[in-house]
Amino acid sequence: MNKVESVGKKGVSVVSGVIGSNKRWIELFLVGVITLEYIPHDVLGFKLKRMLSPINDLLRSLFRNQFFHIALFVVMIWSCCVKKDLILFILLSIFMMTYRIHHEIDEHRR
């Protein structure tokens, strides 16, 4: 039984280390992607949204990957329950609502 507890503690420690050391990069990525999603369609006559659509399409295909969704969910739970970091939790919540990842994965499997 002690071995199982030890493996669990090591696993949480590894996850905490990886997420904690990359927290700032995760936040910058989320802010950038959320901003890219809400960029205006037409800015001073330029079809900005259309010009950036190849990047958006690439990101959307990444976000529909079930492993990416699981990783985001783990980071979300970690930020809420382990680290109690509401800023990262709220960013992840906004990101997931923006892209409706949880719903898109179910639609993609059908």
Side-chain angles (χ1 to χ4, degrees):
M1 189 70 163
N2 287 338
K3 288 183 180 183
V4 172
E5 290 175 8
S6 176
V7 170
K9 288 179 184 176
K10 286 180 184 178
V12 170
S13 177
V14 168
V15 170
S16 290
V18 169
I19 297 170
S21 65
N22 293 306
K23 179 183 169 287
R24 185 68 183 148
W25 291 109
I26 294 169
E27 289 175 347
L28 287 173
F29 174 76
L30 292 172
V31 168
V33 170
I34 291 168
T35 303
L36 185 64
E37 179 62 23
Y38 289 108
I39 200 163
H41 290 275
D42 191 16
V43 177
L44 300 173
F46 293 102
K47 303 291 184 195
L48 198 55
K49 189 88 168 187
R50 187 178 300 159
M51 289 170 43
L52 296 173
S53 68
I55 296 170
N56 259 351
D57 294 341
L58 178 67
L59 289 173
R60 282 181 193 267
S61 66
L62 171 70
F63 301 155
R64 288 189 180 119
N65 184 318
Q66 66 183 0
F67 297 112
F68 185 80
H69 183 239
I70 290 169
L72 281 180
F73 185 73
V74 167
V75 172
M76 188 178 198
I77 295 300
W78 175 85
S79 68
C80 171
C81 302
V82 175
K83 202 63 171 173
K84 300 194 184 348
D85 181 356
L86 287 181
I87 292 174
L88 184 57
F89 177 78
I90 290 170
L91 272 174
L92 284 163
S93 300
I94 292 169
F95 175 82
M96 292 178 94
M97 286 187 292
T98 298
Y99 284 94
R100 297 186 56 192
I101 291 175
H102 59 282
H103 186 58
E104 286 183 1
I105 287 176
D106 289 339
E107 288 179 355
H108 184 64
R109 287 184 185 169
R110 292 179 191 166

